[in-house]
């Protein structure tokens, strides 16, 4: 798991996040937010979410509406993004392709994946 530090979170729809440095994420990548607190935010940001790339240090967290009132105050001082990166051991030339990872990947049928460096 690669951890990305956040410097700010904009309460917009969808939620806008600014990272400390270049994040190397692409639209469609999946992340999990850690360290959110205040009001209902820890529960709201407890799942795996898809991102949209905006700039090298900015993303939107799809499916999370930060503009809706009633969630309480978001305390984002210690928030980070966790990105699951799993090394591929082999890919079988079948239809569909069968990908074997070096460690358990935790994915479920229907989850989106991105394969890089092929």
């Amino acid at each position: 798991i690669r951890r990305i530090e956040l410097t700010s979170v904009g309460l917009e729809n969808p939620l806008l996040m600014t990272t400390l440095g270049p994040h190397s994420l692409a639209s469609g990548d999946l992340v999990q937010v850690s360290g959110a607190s205040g009001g209902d935010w820890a529960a709201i940001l407890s799942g795996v979410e898809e991102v949209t790339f905006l700039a090298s240090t900015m993303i939107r967290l799809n499916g999370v509406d930060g503009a809706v009132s009633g969630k309480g105050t978001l305390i984002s001082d210690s928030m980070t993004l966790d990105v699951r990166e799993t090394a591929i051991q082999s890919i079988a030339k079948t239809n569909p392709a069968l990908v074997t990872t070096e460690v358990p990947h935790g994915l479920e049928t229907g989850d989106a994946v991105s394969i890089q460096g092929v």
Side-chain angles (χ1 to χ4, degrees):
I1 293 179
R2 179 170 58 100
R3 182 156 284 170
I4 300 171
E5 293 183 55
L6 298 174
T7 58
S8 67
V9 178
L11 299 180
E12 303 173 15
N13 184 20
L15 202 65
L16 175 66
M17 298 183 155
T18 303
T19 60
L20 180 62
H23 51 68
S24 72
L25 296 169
S27 291
D29 283 351
L30 301 174
V31 299
Q32 184 161 9
V33 178
S34 298
S37 62
D40 295 333
W41 284 102
I44 293 167
L45 295 173
S46 64
V48 174
E49 303 292 342
E50 184 177 289
V51 301
T52 296
F53 173 89
L54 297 176
S56 65
T57 59
M58 294 179 72
I59 59 164
R60 290 221 182 260
L61 198 60
N62 300 339
V64 179
D65 185 353
V68 173
S69 62
K71 295 178 183 174
T73 302
L74 173 61
I75 301 170
S76 59
D77 295 350
S78 61
M79 282 177 57
T80 59
L81 296 177
D82 295 333
V83 182
R84 184 182 304 147
E85 296 177 335
T86 304
I88 293 174
Q89 184 175 11
S90 65
I91 301 177
K93 295 180 181 179
T94 58
N95 188 10
L98 176 64
V99 178
T100 304
T101 58
E102 292 180 358
V103 296
H105 51 70
L107 297 168
E108 297 179 10
T109 300
D111 285 349
V113 297
S114 173
I115 297 176
Q116 300 173 349
V118 183

